[in-house]
Amino acid sequence: MTDAVGSIDTPDAPDEATDSKKKSRKGGKRGKKGPLGRLALFYRQIVAELRKVVWPSRSQLTTYTTVVIVFVVIMIALVTVLDYGFSQAVKYVFG
């Protein structure tokens, strides 16, 4: 059974356990670098990932910010009304 990706029955790459000619290295490429090399690699990877990010335009950012502020104001109003209602109910019952 095959599809666009490939066959389920046959793997794309051979297992490393069946290939006895290759020797496995512990740590791979990162095993040879010191702490500063690993830190530099980490920062290079961060910069590479940030370049992939699709940043919003100014109008999108303004729209998103407005939506968030309006939502927060609505939630504050809802919690305030509920708090006031519960406090009046407690005063009526126990007061």
Side-chain angles (χ1 to χ4, degrees):
M1 174 182 211
T2 61
D3 55 358
V5 177
S7 174
I8 297 174
D9 298 330
T10 58
D12 293 335
D15 291 339
E16 291 181 19
T18 59
D19 192 10
S20 61
K21 294 178 184 177
K22 292 183 180 180
K23 293 183 180 178
S24 63
R25 289 190 310 186
K26 190 174 184 180
K29 290 182 180 179
R30 286 184 240 155
K32 293 184 178 181
K33 295 182 180 179
L36 291 178
R38 288 190 304 235
L39 188 63
L41 175 66
F42 176 69
Y43 283 117
R44 281 195 306 270
Q45 289 174 344
I46 288 174
V47 171
E49 287 297 322
L50 284 176
R51 288 185 182 166
K52 295 178 188 177
V53 173
V54 179
W55 297 100
S57 66
R58 183 175 291 273
S59 64
Q60 289 174 331
L61 188 62
T62 304
T63 303
Y64 297 156
T65 303
T66 305
V67 167
V68 167
I69 290 173
V70 167
F71 178 76
V72 168
V73 167
I74 290 171
M75 292 308 295
I76 288 172
L78 179 66
V79 169
T80 302
V81 167
L82 288 174
D83 183 48
Y84 180 75
F86 285 135
S87 68
Q88 292 300 319
V90 168
K91 284 181 186 177
Y92 178 76
V93 170
F94 296 110

